Amino acid sequence: MRFSLHSGRHAVPPVSRPGTPRPGSREQPSTPVPARHAPVDHPSGPWPTPPVGDPGTDRPEDERLDDDAPATVEVVASRSTARLLGAVAPRTWRIVGTDRPSYHPCVDFVVLLAPDPASVADIVERQPGAEIVVLLPRNAPTGQLVAMLDAGVSICLRESPARLVAGHMLARRRRGGHRRRTRVED
């Protein structure tokens, strides 16, 4: 299943700047950008995410959300989602890409792409202090959305741009603490 935060009806069009290739032209491979953040005490280590407003990024500085409180966001199994969220999330937030959930107590948000309800329920139980964010494909049936909410996720969105996802997470923090639904038992 392919999932992109740049597709769908709420997608943000790419910013065109002089000197950048036009859509449809072949892009040159880029070199990895080293992470700007301090080393993360995380089992798999952070995936590098280019900071906004630096050379080589296609987003202007003013597209970042604003928040003074630090947060750690763990994006599971999606480097592109980690990179896109890192480009729009507040500067005080640390975005960490992982291959699987770390169950670390300092993680504020765990972002999952189209998981099964059993794995969501496991994360809810093993990581009670974290808000669980699930991103589903645009054509996901309503039953799948309800199953995610019943499993205990805090935020469940169908194919959304990174800025909207980060905005939901920021709003969740500003509402005051973890009021995540508890998992519904059958």
Side-chain angles (χ1 to χ4, degrees), residues 11-48:
V12 177
V15 177
S16 114
R17 295 186 343 192
T20 59
R22 293 189 307 171
S25 66
R26 191 163 187 199
E27 235 180 88
Q28 295 298 320
S30 62
T31 58
V33 177
R36 179 183 265 182
H37 305 292
V40 178
D41 179 21
H42 198 273
S44 65
W47 285 332

Side-chain angles (χ1 to χ4, degrees), residues 126-146:
R126 293 179 64 184
Q127 203 163 357
E131 302 279 341
I132 310 300
V133 180
V134 170
L135 305 176
L136 298 174
R138 178 188 325 170
N139 59 354
T142 305
Q144 186 179 9
L145 197 110
V146 170

Side-chain angles (χ1 to χ4, degrees), residues 39-102:
V40 178
D41 179 21
H42 198 273
S44 65
W47 285 332
T49 58
V52 173
D54 283 356
T57 62
D58 63 349
R59 294 187 179 274
E61 181 98 23
D62 61 350
E63 282 197 35
R64 276 193 178 268
L65 296 173
D66 188 31
D67 188 27
D68 294 335
T72 301
V73 179
E74 185 176 81
V75 181
V76 179
S78 177
R79 290 178 189 223
S80 62
T81 302
R83 188 183 74 250
L84 292 169
L85 282 175
V88 296
R91 292 199 179 282
T92 56
W93 289 20
R94 181 178 15 194
I95 310 297
V96 179
T98 64
D99 292 328
R100 53 189 157 75
S102 68

Side-chain angles (χ1 to χ4, degrees), residues 110-115 120 132-136 148 153-158:
V110 177
V111 180
L112 305 165
L113 274 71
V120 170
I132 310 300
V133 180
V134 170
L135 305 176
L136 298 174
M148 293 296 128
V153 302
S154 304
I155 301 168
C156 188
L157 299 168
R158 287 184 180 146

